[in-house]
Amino acid sequence: MRLIPSYIFLIIVSFISVFPLYWMITAATNDTVDVARGKIVFGMKAAENMTKLLEGNDLWGALGNSFFYAIVQTVLCLLICSLAGYGFELYHDAGKDKLFAVLLLAMMVPQVATMIPLFKMMSTMKLLNSVWAFILPSISTPFMIMMFRQNSRNFPTSIMEAARIDGLSEFKIFYKMYMPIMKSTYAAAAVITFMNAWNAYMWPKVVMLDNSAQTMPMLIANLSAGYTIDYGVLMMGVLFCSIPTIVVFFVLQKQFAEGITGAVK
């Protein structure tokens, strides 16, 4: 009986958390009038909304671009940030601590403050409308480096010493020992990086000047930019944009929780 208030509270909070997702799915199956009236049950307009979405927009092209940009950024970010975190923690010295402190200060600089210089750099290097313009500013982030460095403190250094005695090179220690043991951290970092890359809007909007290079957030923004907004079509686009991140999170949720808490195996 003492737990009943706790259960009631958790049920209410869970409902509040899940309701926006439910409303998005039901709105994708209704037309604009029903959505505006607040209808929250499933309708019969899903096929019609899907047809309208495909007719006026390059949905598959935007999905392909988002997948390509997000996957490339995730892979490179994990490799570079894990190498940096590995080096900062396991090859420790006072100079690296000072460099890391400077690196953490970069987290306080807002993205909009660096956007114009970055755009000029990409334009000078003729990288606009390319995957490199999308990923280079986020290929290595202070947060990811800090995350790998903190979790590297749980890495057993005795394994490194034994491997060196056996004649294993530093690169092989990283590749064959560090990466498998820190797989939970890699999974958590992959989820965060993929979601950030997938949901990125402002920077891609600046450097992707061609419609053929647009991503899903850019396509959804275009759907809501007209004088009249078809909310059914808009919600269908939002649903397509949300599915990949939901799948990635649920597939890696166990490893994500372990990585956030710093668990190593």
Side-chain angles (χ1 to χ4, degrees), residues 7-71:
Y7 285 133
I8 294 175
F9 173 76
L10 291 174
I11 290 171
I12 294 173
V13 172
S14 299
F15 175 78
I16 294 173
S17 300
V18 174
F19 181 77
L21 179 63
Y22 169 79
W23 182 83
M24 175 188 70
I25 297 172
T26 57
T29 65
N30 290 297
D31 57 22
T32 300
V33 176
D34 289 332
V35 174
R37 289 169 56 189
K39 184 179 178 181
I40 58 173
V41 295
F42 288 94
M44 305 295 293
K45 301 292 184 177
E48 181 180 338
N49 291 338
M50 185 65 188
T51 302
K52 291 180 181 178
L53 180 63
L54 292 174
E55 283 178 352
N57 305 279
D58 186 12
L59 175 64
W60 306 122
L63 274 172
N65 289 336
S66 290
F67 270 115
F68 180 66
Y69 300 151
I71 291 172

Side-chain angles (χ1 to χ4, degrees), residues 96-163:
K96 289 179 182 175
D97 287 342
K98 295 179 181 178
L99 178 61
F100 189 73
V102 174
L103 190 65
L104 292 181
L105 288 175
M107 295 178 64
M108 302 179 186
V109 179
Q111 184 186 15
V112 293
T114 61
M115 192 166 294
I116 294 177
L118 284 172
F119 177 80
K120 288 187 175 182
M121 289 172 59
M122 299 302 161
S123 178
T124 302
M125 293 185 290
K126 301 186 185 303
L127 295 178
L128 298 179
N129 294 317
S130 70
V131 62
W132 298 111
F134 184 99
I135 70 172
L136 280 178
S138 303
I139 203 171
S140 176
T141 63
F143 175 78
M144 282 298 157
I145 295 173
M146 179 183 68
M147 179 177 173
F148 275 103
R149 186 194 181 189
Q150 292 299 113
N151 289 352
S152 294
R153 293 181 176 179
N154 297 324
F155 181 76
T157 55
S158 57
I159 294 179
M160 295 177 60
E161 295 170 359

Side-chain angles (χ1 to χ4, degrees), residues 30-33 48-49 52 223-224 228-236:
N30 290 297
D31 57 22
T32 300
V33 176
E48 181 180 338
N49 291 338
K52 291 180 181 178
L223 291 175
S224 59
T228 58
I229 303 174
D230 191 329
Y231 289 104
V233 176
L234 177 62
M235 289 298 105
M236 182 63 72

Side-chain angles (χ1 to χ4, degrees), residues 192-206:
I192 296 172
T193 305
F194 183 87
M195 287 186 174
N196 288 339
W198 183 270
N199 294 322
Y201 171 72
M202 185 176 294
W203 176 246
K205 188 69 173 177
V206 172

